[in-house]
């Protein structure tokens, strides 16, 4: 007796994906493995689509990173109350950026490429540059001063994050600790004097003090 034929599978379109789903999945990938793990091919696999389908929503990985920056700024970068004093305004705005980025260090990795930015974060740049100009710097010098503040902020986050990651991955004494334990007190007397306290001292949060000193020095150069 002939068996009834199995119903023919219809070849429909692949499931539709949204830009929101793409951003959410991309954010999860970089949160778990860093920016280096984010590729269009992996992202397509994670959302159950194809790389070609992704290109209907984002032009390339660079545009995807910009979307991630804007998404993070929207959710985490809160505009603080700004004081009237321009110097204090610089400090408050820079500290707000630092605190937001320190909670998500991969953002700094993207921003240090120096050609990508979130337009949503430009308000903070405006406040810092405006404060520098009100303190007496020319617009050109204010841009240079802003860059110094940004380099200090980004560098502080990158160094602390990388050091913390290395310590978490390996509990053995670091190479620096091994070297500092056997310093020549005649050649390096000052370092030998503080060698035993170097790790806890450099682990202290000195960003606010360093920021104030940096800004004050930049303003003195006007």
């Amino acid at each position: 007796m002939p068996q009834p034929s199995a119903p023919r599978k219809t070849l429909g379109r692949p499931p539709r994906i949204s830009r929101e789903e793409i951003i959410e999945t991309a954010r999860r990938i970089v949160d778990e493995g860093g920016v280096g793990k984010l590729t269009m091919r992996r992202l397509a696999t994670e959302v159950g689509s194809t790389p070609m389908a992704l290109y209907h929503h984002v032009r390339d990985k660079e545009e995807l990173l910009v979307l991630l920056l804007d998404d993070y700024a929207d959710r985490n970068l809160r505009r603080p109350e700004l004081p009237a004093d321009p110097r204090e305004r610089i400090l408050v705005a820079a500290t707000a950026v630092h605190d937001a980025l320190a909670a998500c260090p991969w953002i700094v990795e993207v921003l240090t490429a120096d050609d990508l930015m979130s337009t949503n974060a430009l308000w903070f740049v405006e406040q810092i540059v405006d404060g520098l100009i009100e303190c007496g710097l020319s617009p050109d010098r204010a841009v240079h001063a802003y860059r110094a503040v940004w380099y200090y902020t980004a560098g502080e986050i990158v160094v602390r994050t990388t050091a913390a990651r290395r310590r978490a991955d390996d509990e053995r004494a670091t190479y620096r600790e091994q070297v500092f334990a056997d310093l020549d007190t005649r050649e390096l007397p000052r370092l030998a004097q503080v060698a035993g306290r170097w790790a806890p001292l450099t682990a202290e949060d000195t960003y606010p003090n360093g920021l104030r000193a940096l800004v004050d020095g930049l303003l003195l150069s006007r």
Side-chain angles (χ1 to χ4, degrees):
M1 183 176 180
Q3 297 295 320
S5 59
R8 179 179 299 175
K9 294 182 179 179
T10 57
L11 299 177
R13 292 182 177 179
R16 294 180 63 86
I17 53 176
S18 65
R19 176 172 285 201
E20 291 72 21
E21 182 182 4
I22 291 171
I23 294 173
E24 181 180 346
T25 305
R27 185 172 65 240
R28 176 174 54 77
I29 291 172
V30 295
D31 282 342
E32 293 175 355
V35 177
K37 297 295 184 181
L38 179 62
T39 65
M40 299 299 279
R41 183 176 298 278
R42 176 176 177 180
L43 180 58
T45 300
E46 297 267 348
V47 298
S49 185
T50 65
M52 287 304 298
L54 292 183
Y55 292 125
H56 291 295
H57 298 274
V58 291
R59 182 178 62 253
D60 50 28
K61 182 177 176 179
E62 183 171 291
E63 183 180 10
L64 178 60
L65 289 174
V66 171
L67 290 173
L68 286 174
L69 292 176
D70 282 339
D71 174 68
Y72 186 81
D74 279 343
R75 293 184 296 107
N76 299 281
L77 202 51
R78 299 288 175 260
R79 296 183 179 185
E81 286 279 338
L82 293 178
D85 179 72
R87 174 185 173 276
E88 292 301 315
R89 204 155 67 235
I90 298 165
L91 299 176
V92 170
T95 300
V97 171
H98 172 272
D99 293 349
L101 296 182
C104 191
W106 68 260
I107 294 285
V108 179
E109 182 183 346
V110 175
L111 294 175
T112 51
D114 210 31
D115 59 351
L116 299 180
M117 66 178 66
S118 167
T119 55
N120 297 333
L122 288 179
W123 180 86
F124 293 84
V125 180
E126 169 72 17
Q127 306 314 312
I128 295 171
V129 172
D130 178 65
L132 291 164
I133 292 174
E134 282 200 34
C135 285
L137 297 189
S138 69
D140 289 1
R141 295 292 294 276
V143 172
H144 295 158
Y146 163 74
R147 298 294 287 171
V149 171
W150 167 240
Y151 291 154
Y152 169 61
T153 300
E156 199 268 354
I157 294 171
V158 169
V159 170
R160 285 188 179 278
T161 302
T162 304
R165 186 184 302 121
R166 285 173 59 86
R167 286 193 295 269
D169 293 342
D170 192 343
E171 296 181 356
R172 295 175 299 177
T174 65
Y175 180 69
R176 184 187 65 198
E177 289 169 340
Q178 297 173 40
V179 171
F180 273 33
D182 195 30
L183 289 178
D184 185 334
T185 57
R186 292 169 299 178
E187 182 180 1
L188 305 168
R190 294 303 186 190
L191 289 182
Q193 182 181 19
V194 296
R197 305 193 308 280
W198 190 273
L201 285 172
T202 55
E204 293 177 7
D205 180 11
T206 58
Y207 175 79
N209 292 337
L211 177 63
R212 291 189 189 94
L214 175 60
V215 170
D216 287 345
L218 291 168
L219 295 179
L220 283 174
S221 67
R222 64 181 183 272

